[in-house]
Amino acid sequence: MILLAGMVLAMAASVMAAPPDQWIHVRVVSADAKGESVRVNIPMSFAEKILPTICAEKFHEGKVRFDDHFNDVDLRTIFEAIKSTPDNEFVTVKSRDEDVHVAKSGGNLLIKVHERHNYKHGQKVEDGQNVDVKVPLVVVQALLSGKKDELDIMAGIRALSALGNVDLVNVNDGEQTVRVWTDTSSSSE
Amino acid sequence: MNPVAIKLSSVALLGAASLAGTAGVITYNAGAVRVSVVEKRQNGEHVHVFVPAIVIPMAMGFIPAKHFHVHDKDTHQWLPILKAVSQELERCPDATLVEVTSPDEHVKISKQGNSLYIDVDDPGETVHVSFPVGVVQTVVNKLEAANTSPPV
């Protein structure tokens, strides 16, 4: 009987166990021979607790104010329009220098920029830049949940925490790669 | 030797050994502040500081409160952040929080157990600093108590 009770308790404990901490990782790795790298691993709960204590010029209580920069653009209306439309590619720009795609897919806003290699007299002088940004729409909604002239960074982080593993930013410009992602691992290896 | 004297000295030795053992266990559990700077040049300086963390709150008690007054407004703003960081670091699981690697230097900030470790290795010197996160809280609490109103 005691054994059975113990087993039930153990099972209940495993079911009710707190979800593993979500971490945000930033990794910048230089592609050159020097192999410079920067790795930052921060628990999301850590960011949630620290942000409200930061009091800077335009950053208070986890919210950033953008004053009149977006006065002419109603971000919320644009967001609601994007949210209510089916998955689609909204913007496609193809030029000699770069391709830009902005799309909505699977609850995410996807921004892809592909720069072509820079050639001079037939010689490659510069690698093109590839940028992939994936912003979950629930995070955008949380960011815009505050007043008209502010972004609620705290709400954004909370929304991101609840999403699980997300690959947010990938940049490869030939000289370095930048990756920002979230998962439950404390290491960025 | 008198058997009573032998017994007494045995008891005294045992007592001293237990006391030293207990002090050792308490000191070990509280952790220590370690600072180590090793210059890589020939005949370079080697500085090693080891302070048991348990001594720090006691030592701070002897420092007059006026020395903890923060007169600079910007520094004052950092106190709540420092407090939140120290509180959250205690809860934070063990991990490498920041690591910067370049041909010239390697910087690593990690948390292991109750301590924060900062290691810097550059061509000139190797620096190692580690301290229990609780020490930061002790210092911040003292600073907060001494700075209840913001500087004018």
Side-chain angles (χ1 to χ4, degrees), chain A residues 36-37 39-41 49-50, chain B residues 88 96-101:
Chain A
E36 290 171 359
S37 71
R39 291 162 197 268
V40 179
N41 311 299
K49 293 281 165 40
I50 305 306
Chain B
E88 284 312 303
T96 298
L97 300 171
V98 179
E99 187 166 19
V100 181
T101 310

Side-chain angles (χ1 to χ4, degrees), chain A residues 1-2 19 23 38 51 59 62 66 86 89 97 116 120 130 152 180-181 184-185:
Chain A
M1 189 68 180
I2 293 171
W23 291 68
V38 177
L51 280 178
F59 191 91
F66 42 76
E89 187 153 309
D97 303 323
R116 295 187 215 296
K120 203 171 186 178
N130 284 316
D152 193 337
V180 183
W181 74 104
T184 52
S185 165

